[in-house]
Amino acid sequence: MSRVGKKPISIPKGVEVSIQGSKIVFKGAKEQKELETHGRVKVHVQDGLLSFESIDSQAQSRAYWGTYRALANNVVVGLSQGFTKVLEINGVGYKASVSGKNLEMALGFSHPVVYPIPAGIEMSVDKNTITIKGTDKQQVGQIAAEIREFRPPEPYKGKGIKYSDEVIIRKAGKTSKK
């Protein structure tokens, strides 16, 4: 059983945390985020630490305890440092560029693929890498997955869009009969 809920979250400088009923309000330098707990856990803020407490010892309550602690930690890290995903484009003629509020990609189709960049997300393209930055971990990961879905890497030549730390296991091609 995980004990994630027991670890308190240290609140860095530049992030303010307050509790309003069952909501936890986080204020960063640029934006404000809220986390609704629906009264499923007890939340305490003291001495620059944010700690969570389970309401009772049932399995469901302990699951909420760890979940809300992890979600709150993601908000604090997002407001203080931010999250980044890096995608690589591999393939002859495959390229990407940011123009205005759109990411335009040439991925071997008969038409260019245009992906609108959502609010709160920064994208940059350098040669064959796409860098996605934002304060919301879930949103950054979802956008990276949607872009990768346009042309997932194939196992024979490795062409397509992959995460920078992803390893593509290659398959052997056809062999001639002897």
Side-chain angles (χ1 to χ4, degrees):
M1 170 187 334
S2 177
R3 307 243 180 336
V4 171
K6 285 186 178 180
K7 289 178 66 175
I9 301 168
S10 63
I11 303 168
K13 292 179 181 172
V15 178
E16 296 177 22
V17 179
S18 61
I19 300 168
Q20 298 175 354
S22 63
K23 285 185 185 176
I24 308 170
V25 180
F26 301 90
K27 291 182 184 175
K30 296 179 184 174
E31 59 184 305
Q32 175 177 329
K33 294 196 174 204
E34 295 180 353
L35 178 63
E36 176 65 56
T37 63
H38 302 288
R40 295 177 177 142
V41 291
K42 295 177 189 170
V43 184
H44 307 288
V45 178
Q46 57 190 14
D47 301 330
L49 294 175
L50 177 65
S51 59
F52 292 83
E53 192 178 329
S54 179
I55 291 178
D56 54 28
S57 62
Q58 292 181 357
Q60 186 72 29
S61 178
R62 291 182 61 93
Y64 285 132
W65 181 37
T67 300
Y68 284 118
R69 190 265 179 209
L71 291 173
N73 188 50
N74 287 342
V75 172
V76 168
V77 171
L79 289 176
S80 62
Q81 301 169 0
F83 292 100
T84 303
K85 286 277 188 184
V86 179
L87 298 171
E88 289 181 3
I89 301 175
N90 295 323
V92 176
Y94 289 13
K95 58 187 173 187
S97 64
V98 175
S99 62
K101 295 192 177 213
N102 291 323
L103 174 68
E104 295 180 0
M105 297 172 283
L107 300 174
F109 299 119
S110 61
H111 58 282
V113 177
V114 178
Y115 186 83
I117 301 172
I121 296 294
E122 297 175 24
M123 282 195 200
S124 62
V125 177
D126 182 42
K127 294 185 182 178
N128 66 338
T129 60
I130 302 171
T131 305
I132 304 164
K133 295 180 184 176
T135 58
D136 188 355
K137 184 176 186 177
Q138 193 276 333
Q139 186 182 23
V140 169
Q142 182 67 36
I143 289 168
E146 288 172 2
I147 292 172
R148 182 185 182 275
E149 202 173 275
F150 288 123
R151 182 68 87 173
E154 52 98 12
Y156 296 102
K157 292 184 180 178
K159 291 173 31 175
I161 302 174
K162 70 178 190 85
Y163 297 110
S164 64
D165 57 352
E166 183 178 8
V167 176
I168 306 300
I169 298 172
R170 298 289 175 91
K171 289 183 178 178
K174 292 181 180 177
T175 56
S176 61
K177 284 188 176 181
K178 292 184 179 182

